[in-house]
Amino acid sequence: HTIAVASQFEEIIVPIVLDATTQPGYTGTPVVSLRGGGTLGLVVGAGNSVVRGLSIGGFTAGLFFGGQGGNVVEACHIGVDASGTMVVPNDSGVVINQTPNHRVGGEQPAQRNVISGNTQVAFQILGSASAGTVIEGNYIGTTAAGTAALPNSGGGLVVDGTTGVTIGGATPGARNVIAGNGAAGVTVIGASTSGLVISANTIGLNAAGTDALPNNGEGGRGLNAPSVRIGGATAGERNLISGNATHGVHVAGPESSGVAVAGNWLGLAANGTTAVPNGTDDTRQSGHHGVFVVNAPGVTIGGASAAPGAAPGNVIAGNAAHEVYVTAAPDQPATGVQILGSLLGTDASGSAAVVAGQEAVGVTGAVPGMQVG
């Protein structure tokens, strides 16, 4: 059933449940489609609302949240058709603007959204009032099966000026697959973007974690964003960041202090032994690393580990250039960077070599007080 929208929807100003999974014939993929002609899609100003089971395409933003918070989006295809194989692009998939505590997706497969094929980004999370938002269990930049790329041209998620956002979680069900996008998988911007957690995601690989579906940029990119945690202290919080066109994780700028990259696998498949390098695009300039730190002080890569490969140590192996590269200009020193408790250039067990294209650790420029081990 296709609803062709001829003009702008009225804003939703009272709590509502739009549940297209109740439509007869629904068996796990949308049977109701909203198709726009270049206006905004669903604009939700009311809090505590639910949008479930729709295919949404052809709008400037498929879903736009402003006003009150606490809304839920589940089981939708945003930018793709009901089958999850063909693009029906919006400009942006989901925009969350100055409104808190949303949940997009969920830990159960039936709650998964597929947000792919949009001409800009899949998600924009904007402003300090959008704190507490959780993005979990979604496929972002792939087909509904998670086996092939349907790129969001501008990248996967952009978080700008927001605190306390969680992308992923600590359980297998919370894992987002963020792959195949036209730019970075996750971009975090700004000194007011703090306390962000990116954990339990697959970034740059198919849903099975076996083969590269490169984001055409970094897996994760942080620009002057402090106190971001990538990974965590438990195995369940591990990100698998491999197969991306450039760096696995790129942390840049003097405001990026307190960033922690812990407990992740970078450059490996989900089996922990097969190399799937970050740096798949060999047509660009050389030097694509597992973790790349530029002018960013106080960054911690890894931590104390009870056993080889255990969190919060990382396993960083097989990447196109260095496993870890740290550099800084004299006027923006990367003071106090630490590389601790991690396996560099081995499989997850620490028993077999999975070598990088260059040295395991590269250091240039103004990096006073750096600690390795």
Side-chain angles (χ1 to χ4, degrees):
H1 307 282
T2 299
I3 301 171
V5 181
S7 60
Q8 176 68 54
F9 281 121
E10 295 289 338
E11 181 180 353
I12 297 168
I13 58 173
V14 295
I16 193 170
V17 175
L18 296 175
D19 189 354
T21 68
T22 63
Q23 175 66 35
Y26 181 85
T27 58
T29 57
V31 294
V32 178
S33 299
L34 303 182
R35 295 292 178 260
T39 63
L40 282 171
L42 292 173
V43 179
V44 183
N48 302 310
S49 293
V50 177
V51 179
R52 182 182 293 126
L54 292 166
S55 170
I56 302 173
F59 300 96
T60 54
L63 282 167
F64 186 95
F65 291 102
Q68 302 301 309
N71 298 297
V72 174
V73 183
E74 297 177 341
C76 289
H77 288 186
I78 302 173
V80 293
D81 70 351
S83 73
T85 61
M86 301 290 291
V87 301
V88 189
N90 305 288
D91 293 345
S92 296
V94 180
V95 177
I96 297 172
N97 184 38
Q98 295 285 15
T99 173
N101 299 324
H102 305 286
R103 174 170 58 82
V104 181
E107 294 192 9
Q108 301 301 315
Q111 297 173 300
R112 176 183 303 138
N113 300 289
V114 181
I115 308 173
S116 302
N118 298 289
T119 60
Q120 297 178 15
V121 296
F123 278 97
Q124 296 181 69
I125 305 173
L126 307 173
S128 60
S130 296
T133 291
V134 177
I135 311 298
E136 60 182 0
N138 304 288
Y139 286 3
I140 301 169
T142 76
T143 60
T147 56
L150 287 179
N152 297 289
S153 298
L157 298 98
V158 174
V159 183
D160 189 348
T162 308
T163 63
V165 171
T166 299
I167 299 170
T171 65
R175 180 174 298 274
N176 298 292
V177 176
I178 307 169
N181 294 290
V186 180
T187 300
V188 184
I189 304 170
S192 57
T193 305
S194 64
L196 187 75
V197 175
I198 304 169
S199 59
N201 301 289
T202 295
I203 303 177
L205 296 160
N206 61 9
T210 57
D211 295 293
L213 287 183
N215 293 297
N216 193 30
E218 302 96 333
R221 184 173 186 238
L223 302 176
N224 283 314
S227 302
V228 175
R229 172 163 62 85
I230 302 171
T234 68
E237 295 171 291
R238 175 190 304 139
N239 294 295
L240 184 63
I241 306 174
S242 304
N244 296 286
T246 63
H247 314 292
V249 172
H250 181 189
V251 182
E255 300 295 331
S256 295
S257 61
V259 172
V261 182
N264 306 287
W265 291 1
L266 298 103
L268 296 173
N271 62 11
T273 60
T274 303
V276 187
N278 293 294
T280 57
D281 187 352
D282 59 8
T283 67
R284 301 188 185 189
Q285 63 180 0
S286 62
H288 296 146
H289 315 293
V291 179
F292 185 35
V293 178
V294 183
N295 301 331
V299 175
T300 301
I301 301 166
S305 296
N314 302 285
V315 183
I316 311 175
N319 294 287
H322 300 85
E323 311 295 22
V324 180
Y325 194 86
V326 182
T327 187
D331 61 340
Q332 295 183 347
T335 304
V337 173
Q338 296 180 307
I339 305 171
L340 306 173
S342 295
L343 298 176
L344 307 179
T346 79
D347 68 3
S349 71
S351 61
V354 185
V355 297
Q358 298 181 35
E359 294 85 359
V361 178
V363 183
T364 59
V367 289
M370 184 173 175
Q371 179 181 356
V372 181

